[in-house]
Each structure stands twice: as C-alpha cells, then as structure tokens.
Amino acid sequence: MSNELNKYSKTLTQEVTNPAAQAMLYGIGLKESDLKKPQIGIASTGYEGNPCNMHLNGLSVYVKQGVQASGELVGLIFNTIGVSDGMTNGNDGMRYSLPSRDLIADSIESVVAAQWYDGLVAVVGCDKNMPGAIMAMARLDRPAIMVYGGTIRSGHYKGQSLDIVSAFEALGKKFAGNISDEDFKGVIQNSIPGPGACGGMYTANTMSSSIEAMGLSLPFSSTYPATHEGKQEECKKIGAAMKNLLEMDLTPSKIITRKSLENALTVVMALGGSTNAALHYLAIARAAGIPLTLDDIQKISDRVPFIADLKPSGKYFMEDMLSIGGVPAVMKYLLKEGLLHGDCLTVTGKTVAENLENEKDLDFEAQKIVFPLSKPIKSSGHIQILYGNLAPTGAVAKITGKEGLHFHGTAKICEHESEIISALANGEIKPGQVVVIRNAGPKGGPGMSEMLKPTSAVMGAGLGDKIALITDGRFSGGTHGFVVGHITPEAFEGGPIALVKDGDEITIDATTRELTLHVSDEELATRKAAWVQPAPRFTKGVLGKYIRNVKSASEGCVTDEA
Ligand code: FES
C-alpha cells in the first residue's frame, strides 16, 4: 500500500524521531507491518445509559472488523460523549444537550488530529452526536464516514404503537385526567422496546436522513433500524468504503459543498424533519467554510413540498420506511423530479445519481407513507423562517399547515420551561394564548433547551391546536403544533422577546412569515430602557464557557468562532 494513504499516521509510525509513539503502538499490540498501514480512528458515542447510544460500542466493533478485514488498514476505537435529550429532565439537564454537540466535535477533532489518524469513522446515534461528528469531519478534512446507530423499533401497548413522545404525552393526559394510572404506567413501560434513536422523523432521524443525502454515510444508513441485520452489514462494509476514500483522497471538503448542503436540506423538508436541522446545518456549513444563512434555508423550504406522513405530525415511524425503499427511494424520487443535485460526490466514491441508479422506485399505489409531489401534505416546506419586531434577526417555525397558517393570541409569559408544566397542572394555560418561554436561548438558558416536555404535555392536555408556543430556546424534533423557536436576538441579549408582558397581543403569520408583537415602538423603547440584563446563570464549567463563546441561533450556535 502506498505511503500516501498513511500521510498522517506515518508521522508517528515511520519517522525515526518518534520512538516513544512507535513503542506505544507496539504496546497496544500492533506489529511492524501494521505500522506501515493507514490508521483509522473509530469514534463511538456509545454508552450504556440510553437506548440511542447503548449499542454503539457493539457496532463500532463490527466497524473495526470491517476496517481490518482486508489486512490493509488499522482501526482504533475511541469514545466520546453523548447526551440523550429524552433523559435530561427539562431545562436543568437539557442545558447540556446542545453544548454536547460542540464537545463531541471538539473531542473527535482532538483525538484524530492529536493521534494522526488518516481517516475517521463516527458511530453515532442521537440528536447532537451526528452534527457534532460531521462538524469534526469538516474541520479535520480527512476521509470520513458516519455510521448511524439506527432508528428504534416502535413499542406496543394495548394495540397502540408507541415511541418516546407517547411517554411525554401521557403526562399531559394525566394532567387532563384522560389516562388511568395503570395505562400511564403501561405506556411508560412499553414505549421503548430496546436500542435505537427516537423513532419518528425527530431530530436524530432528520439528521441521519439528511446526512445520508449529503453523502457522508452509506446508502440506507438512516433507514436500517438499530436491530436490523442490515445495520451490522453496513458496519462491516465501512472498511472497503474507507480504503476507497483513502485511495481517492475523497475528503469531506469534496463532499460537503453548497450543493450537497442543499440536498441535505431538501430531504429535511420533504420528510418533514426537525427544526433543529436549521441550527445544525448552519453550524456544519460554518465548519466547512461554506456560506449558508437562514434565508437560504427558507429558499429551499419554498421549493420543496412536504410529502412524508411521518411522526410527529404524521402516522408512521422511521422503521416503516424500510419496506418502501427507505431514504434512497425518496432521494431517487426527488432526483427524478429535479429537486436534488445528482452530481454531488458521496462516501461510496460515486455521485448521488450513481448511488441511486439501482434503488427501488416509490410505489405511490402500494404505499401511503410518502406522497407524490402532486399531492403533498403541504406544497412547500414545513420549516419557515420568520422575522418581525419580535425576531429582528430571525426565528425558526415548524408549520405543517395542519394547525393553520395564522395564529393571533395574547402572551402568557413563562420565564422557565418548568413554569409551563406547573401552569398546565394548575389549568392556567388557556386556549388563545401564545405561551412565551424565554431566557432559554444559547446564552440565557444556557444551552438553548428543547421544549420537549412542555410541548408534549400541551399536546397530551389537548391544547395543541388551541395555543401557540414561542421561545428563544428550541423545540424537539418530536414537537408538533403551532411553535416558533430560535427567536433571535435572545432574551438574555436584550432581544424584543425579553420585553413581552403578559396579555400583549402577538401574531404568528406563516404566510407573510412574520412574528409580530403588537406593541408600539415607543412602548418597546421604554421597556428596553428599563430592561436589565440578567446575570449569567453560570460563570464556570462547561456552561460558563459556553455562555462566553456561543454565537446566536441564527449563526448555528457555533462555539469556535471569534
Ligand atoms: Fe436520543 Fe431521541 S433522545 S434519539
């Protein structure tokens, strides 16, 4: 094998001036012949504590077997962290979730660069793991492939299919007196049947599908459930794919391009993916040095219809996609309809169009999960970028059209996510209100918490189509209903959301894409003059560091820019 394939690791393994590094590599069991081979870092976010990541260390062993199968590469597994949003218990734990994305990026970058690996495989399974890994790949620009841990199978209880959102919604039903104690327990005990990421088109499946469309995972990576035999097969194929990437010197900068980012966002819109995709693709683009703005995301939303009947707003789970040809079949259809760029390179070494040539066509007679473009759920994307005097530098809304396109109501302020839970429990949330959850932004939260518990509890309480929620925090990919998040500037920085008072009138208009606070400029100026910036909630540790470094949500909440 040519030395060029080990152009990074040879610094350690071949140079006579690095005897200690070579001694250590012999110490871990490598032979003299191994030291001539390219070294592939296999990053796993595996850990036993949650279903999204519990099986990833096992998958990374299959990846290593595949990498070493030809005898021409050395695979070395290392770990990085993962935070499961479903287990953060609202704001306090959730504060660490988005920062974990950047910690993952930083830690993968650190290990691969410090240890001189020639290639990188990231085995990842939850919302933040995937964008974190891709950001590291973009920064490192060495041959790299992402392996998605796979979606979870659905749970079952009394004839109903369940997932993680069912457990959250059970809480709202409990508040509303709509569920027995036995069924409440039954739902919780049966929602999660084993390993895999949350099963709807929530953030994990949104990111995995769109990263596959961007070309950084093998075809079907986002479709195989975690426990499907295809997932193990995928892991074993990574070795051959990596060797090919090394030989072609096909690095992420040749795969992550303006066009491939558009492909990723096109798949997000078509499948009805999470609003978090907006945040993460802004960050991935910045890591890759490619200009991408909220307005670019809006342009893609304008031209791509929402066509998949997947949860959270629809009926089906990601596992159901396998029987209809998975994400490749959807991509093939979008390509045929001129919505994808077919000439983008991917980790197979081939283009998007070449990868899709022999994939299944969607059969619109036989399946009801993905609709034809002529009969979409919504004729444009569900992710809408709003502006207005409440969001001068942008906000991200998820509007499927099922809730309507316009909401006008009076403000009900919640200074903390937990306040809406107690307000719901006390019956203080009334139809017609716009619930404003603020000081939940990247700096103010800190960490831009997801309103997973509030939105699910609102749904469970039967208020989903009667109220709107707006916040400078984020919404879980499992959210449905009339929601606007990522409001910028955030309250902590004195954005207008900090100035709203209970009873103020607010309009959300998805047609004109405006978020309007019906308070005069003079009154807002008076309120602003009286506003005092709150003290940061943390000054030390991960969150203190995050507050000092994080950019606004409209800039992807990146932490590595001046
Ligand atoms: Fe990990 Fe949902 S909490 S995928």
Side-chain angles (χ1 to χ4, degrees):
M1 186 170 277
S2 154
N3 249 0
E4 284 313 298
L5 305 196
N6 61 351
K7 64 183 172 192
Y8 293 100
S9 64
K10 72 177 184 185
T11 307
L12 293 189
T13 59
Q14 303 301 304
E15 288 179 9
V16 73
T17 51
N18 274 318
Q22 289 154 22
M24 286 187 171
L25 290 169
Y26 284 118
I28 63 167
L30 298 188
K31 307 274 183 292
E32 191 171 1
S33 57
D34 293 327
L35 264 60
K36 297 193 175 86
K37 299 173 186 172
Q39 294 189 351
I40 309 304
I42 302 167
S44 165
T45 56
Y47 91 99
E48 294 175 334
N50 65 55
C52 344
N53 297 292
M54 64 186 275
H55 59 305
L56 300 184
N57 286 343
L59 292 183
S60 60
V61 172
Y62 289 121
V63 169
K64 179 169 176 164
Q65 286 169 5
V67 163
Q68 304 211 138
S70 68
E72 293 177 278
L73 306 175
V74 170
L76 295 159
I77 296 172
F78 65 95
N79 278 89
T80 179
I81 63 153
V83 167
S84 166
D85 294 358
M87 295 174 59
T88 51
N89 190 26
N91 212 359
D92 293 342
M94 184 65 88
R95 287 182 174 129
Y96 289 89
S97 170
L98 185 60
S100 76
R101 180 194 72 182
D102 295 58
L103 282 175
I104 291 165
D106 293 350
S107 62
I108 293 177
E109 177 194 343
S110 300
V111 175
V112 172
Q115 307 299 291
W116 296 87
Y117 292 144
D118 301 294
L120 165 65
V121 182
V123 185
V124 282
C126 196
D127 304 11
K128 309 305 166 304
N129 306 354
M130 284 176 269
I134 302 298
M135 287 159 71
M137 290 175 185
R139 292 179 192 171
L140 289 157
D141 203 27
R142 301 176 196 194
I145 307 178
M146 188 191 90
V147 176
Y148 178 42
T151 188
I152 198 169
R153 300 282 191 178
S154 49
H156 298 279
Y157 179 69
K158 291 194 172 173
Q160 281 204 314
S161 296
L162 306 174
D163 70 352
I164 184 66
V165 174
S166 315
F168 279 113
E169 290 185 354
L171 178 66
K173 288 183 184 165
K174 198 172 163 67
F175 290 154
N178 290 337
I179 191 168
S180 69
D181 287 348
E182 184 198 336
D183 287 347
F184 182 67
K185 201 168 167 183
V187 167
I188 289 163
Q189 289 179 346
N190 292 286
S191 291
I192 303 293
C198 297
M201 189 44 65
Y202 312 145
T203 304
N205 284 323
T206 299
M207 293 311 296
S208 63
S209 304
S210 52
I211 287 166
E212 181 177 326
M214 192 166 63
L216 275 168
S217 57
L218 293 179
F220 279 95
S221 183
S222 59
T223 309
Y224 291 132
T227 52
H228 191 276
E229 60 193 17
K231 187 49 70 183
Q232 289 181 17
E233 292 307 311
E234 176 193 344
C235 293
K236 291 179 185 167
K237 283 185 199 160
I238 293 297
M242 178 54 74
K243 188 167 160 262
N244 186 43
L245 289 182
L246 288 165
E247 284 169 352
M248 291 177 73
D249 195 26
L250 184 48
T251 58
S253 61
K254 295 170 189 142
I255 293 175
I256 307 175
T257 61
R258 171 71 190 209
K259 280 180 165 179
S260 74
L261 285 164
E262 289 181 5
N263 282 351
L265 287 159
T266 295
V267 165
V268 170
M269 301 304 168
L271 295 179
S274 160
T275 48
N276 283 317
L279 193 66
H280 297 322
Y281 279 104
L282 290 174
I284 289 168
R286 291 174 95 98
I290 299 167
L292 185 81
T293 65
L294 282 176
D295 294 342
D296 294 323
I297 294 173
Q298 180 64 49
K299 280 182 203 143
I300 295 166
S301 179
D302 288 343
R303 67 181 170 84
V304 180
F306 168 30
I307 53 172
D309 193 17
L310 293 165
K311 285 179 179 295
S313 61
K315 281 203 235 19
Y316 296 95
F317 293 101
M318 189 69 190
E319 64 173 346
D320 300 319
M321 291 278 286
L322 191 57
S323 64
I324 67 163
V327 169
V330 176
M331 287 177 62
K332 190 174 184 184
Y333 177 59
L334 294 173
L335 178 68
K336 202 170 79 188
E337 295 292 329
L339 289 171
L340 287 185
H341 304 290
D343 57 344
C344 294
L345 283 167
T346 75
V347 287
T348 62
K350 297 180 185 165
T351 64
V352 166
E354 287 166 344
N355 285 346
L356 298 175
E357 243 164 39
N358 299 318
E359 293 302 343
K360 204 167 161 176
D361 287 304
L362 285 174
D363 181 343
F364 292 112
E365 296 299 316
Q367 60 83 30
K368 298 292 168 223
I369 304 174
V370 180
F371 302 147
L373 293 172
S374 56
K375 289 190 186 135
I377 295 168
K378 184 170 179 284
S379 59
S380 58
H382 60 301
I383 293 180
Q384 297 292 313
I385 309 303
L386 308 186
Y387 292 94
N389 67 347
L390 244 180
T393 52
V396 180
K398 183 177 195 176
I399 294 171
T400 60
K402 289 184 179 174
E403 317 80 11
L405 297 171
H406 187 274
F407 194 99
H408 179 87
T410 51
K412 162 78 181 157
I413 305 291
C414 293
E415 300 288 359
H416 190 278
E417 182 191 348
S418 60
E419 281 185 24
I420 185 172
I421 301 294
S422 52
L424 270 175
N426 299 332
E428 292 165 23
I429 306 291
K430 306 266 191 272
Q433 285 179 334
V434 178
V435 178
V436 181
I437 307 176
R438 66 187 177 196
N439 294 309
K443 287 178 187 288
M448 209 183 172
S449 293
E450 272 184 359
M451 304 299 140
L452 184 56
K453 212 185 222 184
T455 50
S456 300
V458 162
M459 284 294 165
L463 287 165
D465 55 351
K466 299 183 181 69
I467 66 165
L469 287 172
I470 70 170
T471 180
D472 52 4
R474 297 178 296 131
F475 288 104
S476 142
T479 300
H480 46 136
F482 222 114
V483 297
V484 182
H486 308 212
I487 290 177
T488 59
E490 61 171 298
F492 181 81
E493 306 249 69
I497 188 173
L499 311 177
V500 184
K501 291 187 173 172
D502 275 329
D504 284 349
E505 288 187 33
I506 292 173
T507 300
I508 304 163
D509 192 327
T511 315
T512 58
R513 298 196 287 106
E514 283 175 313
L515 180 59
T516 309
L517 174 64
H518 296 281
V519 171
S520 69
D521 291 347
E522 295 72 29
E523 170 62 14
L524 280 180
T526 308
R527 292 185 192 179
K528 182 69 191 274
W531 177 79
V532 178
Q533 184 173 42
R537 286 186 165 127
F538 297 83
T539 54
K540 294 176 74 176
V542 171
L543 297 177
K545 209 191 297 186
Y546 194 75
I547 292 169
R548 288 192 290 281
N549 291 312
V550 69
K551 294 273 185 191
S552 100
S554 295
E555 298 167 294
C557 288
V558 295
T559 53
D560 63 340
E561 292 182 10

